[in-house]
Amino acid sequence: MKVKRITGVPVLLLLVCALSIGQTTAFNFQGRLNDGSSPANGRYDLQFKLFDSITGGSQVGASVDRPNLLLINGVFSTTLDFGSSAFTAGDRFVEISVRPNGSPNAHVVLGARQQIMSVPFAVRSANATQADNATNAQNAQLASDASSLGGVSASNYARLNFPNTGNLQTSGNAGFGSVAPNTRLTLSGGPLWTSSQWTASLNMQNASALGWEANSSGQRFGIGQATGGLHFFRTISGFGSTLTPPNVDLRITDNGDIAQPLERNGAVKAMVAITAGGVVARCYNGVSGSSSGNCDISVTQNSAGVVYVNFPFQITNRFWLVTTDASGQQAGVLTASVVPHAAVNSRLIVITKHDGSLEYLPFHLFVF
């Protein structure tokens, strides 16, 4: 066999496909081999080496062997991969050697090395961690060709300030799960949550909160979850500040009850049903949110018809209502009054009467 000429050129179309789809360092190489004056046909062993100079110089990367390569009308096509470090900087030239398939002889170098043009250098973008010579990269935001990115107006892209601040900035609406957000932030869809088929569009960690900017009075309102329930609170602290504690105005407890601090208004502070025997049958402590046991409310029967109801908090400035469950002539509450007591925060004395005489009666007590 007399090999007279081989021509090899990178194929731009195939190269771009390999880079954009595979994201690898390989690129397609196509050439034409003549055996004498005629195109070569059959199978040949080809070997490719990469150098940093058209003559002499140093080999870059390892040799790439392509044995048993089929040539039809002299044309061959194969994939070359010299590794990610092969195209770091400077010109690159490929040297091609050939021999008949299965021949024990050494490969024969075909003519001069051929320069790899600029397009294969794009394989380096898959591993580029920093720009080598970007001395004016700080002006990239002013680039004259940045009016569109991928055919989309640059104004429709969000700007990410990272890692300096970690802020995501956009002058338009942002949507997650929505192709046409109509608010500054639209969340749509997500995995199904509970048997009601709701979708979980937002998930926040425990001990986190949603908050608003301060109003004209300097108060910031927030809703936060922590161990113990869901808290509705106020604070004068700005985000990122821990100088002032939150004022929790309302809380939904872990068991679904509503609790409110004693000094706040709007919710019932206590409800208790007491039997004729002086036992707490049912109760609710609106300050602690407890509805189990005796809700920290104790009862003492003093004398006929006189019952002491002891509360774990002050009720002197609260409203209360007492009603009896008994029926009959003149059945009802004769009087109820709050008296100070050293052992408890507040004591309410309830005196009940039945058929003209003092008698223990079942009653309900409400504190607002």
Side-chain angles (χ1 to χ4, degrees), residues 142-166:
L142 304 176
S144 59
D145 61 346
S147 59
S148 65
L149 303 172
V152 179
S153 173
S155 62
N156 291 333
Y157 278 80
R159 178 180 178 184
L160 180 64
N161 292 338
F162 185 84
N164 294 331
T165 63

Side-chain angles (χ1 to χ4, degrees), residues 89-288:
D91 294 334
R92 294 292 183 265
F93 302 84
V94 63
E95 180 184 273
I96 308 171
S97 303
V98 65
R99 69 182 179 187
N101 176 240
S103 172
N105 299 324
H107 292 79
V108 177
V109 177
L110 299 177
R113 299 169 185 168
Q114 299 188 42
Q115 185 175 3
I116 300 293
M117 304 308 292
S118 60
V119 174
F121 279 81
V123 299
R124 187 166 178 264
S125 65
N127 297 287
T129 57
Q130 62 181 16
D132 293 329
N133 300 296
T135 57
N136 64 340
Q138 66 271 20
N139 298 322
Q141 60 180 331
L142 304 176
S144 59
D145 61 346
S147 59
S148 65
L149 303 172
V152 179
S153 173
S155 62
N156 291 333
Y157 278 80
R159 178 180 178 184
L160 180 64
N161 292 338
F162 185 84
N164 294 331
T165 63
N167 294 329
L168 181 64
Q169 301 173 355
T170 177
S171 59
N173 297 336
F176 294 87
S178 172
V179 296
N182 55 6
T183 60
R184 282 296 178 258
L185 178 61
T186 300
L187 304 178
S188 178
L192 292 178
W193 189 33
T194 78
S195 59
S196 299
Q197 301 296 300
W198 294 330
T199 57
S201 298
L202 176 65
N203 182 41
M204 299 174 61
Q205 294 182 339
N206 190 38
S208 59
L210 292 172
W212 284 261
E213 290 288 347
N215 59 20
S216 58
S217 300
Q219 290 287 349
R220 296 172 180 265
F221 289 82
I223 303 174
Q225 176 188 294
T227 301
L230 184 67
H231 303 256
F232 296 79
F233 64 91
R234 294 171 295 118
T235 180
I236 60 173
S237 292
F239 300 127
S241 172
T242 59
L243 296 179
T244 58
N247 297 302
V248 178
D249 297 318
L250 193 67
R251 178 168 60 94
I252 300 177
T253 66
D254 287 344
N255 59 7
D257 292 329
I258 294 178
Q260 187 181 44
L262 181 64
E263 63 274 12
R264 302 274 75 84
N265 297 312
V268 175
K269 296 299 181 283
M271 295 185 294
V272 57
I274 299 175
T275 67
V279 177
V280 175
R282 299 182 307 278
C283 62
Y284 170 63
N285 185 328
V287 176
S288 66

Side-chain angles (χ1 to χ4, degrees), residues 47-65 81-82 85-86 91-95 97 113:
Q47 186 180 74
F48 301 84
K49 296 181 180 180
L50 194 65
F51 290 83
D52 58 7
S53 176
I54 193 169
T55 59
S58 301
Q59 183 175 348
V60 179
S63 301
V64 177
D65 289 293
D81 189 351
F82 295 102
S85 61
D91 294 334
R92 294 292 183 265
F93 302 84
V94 63
E95 180 184 273
S97 303
R113 299 169 185 168

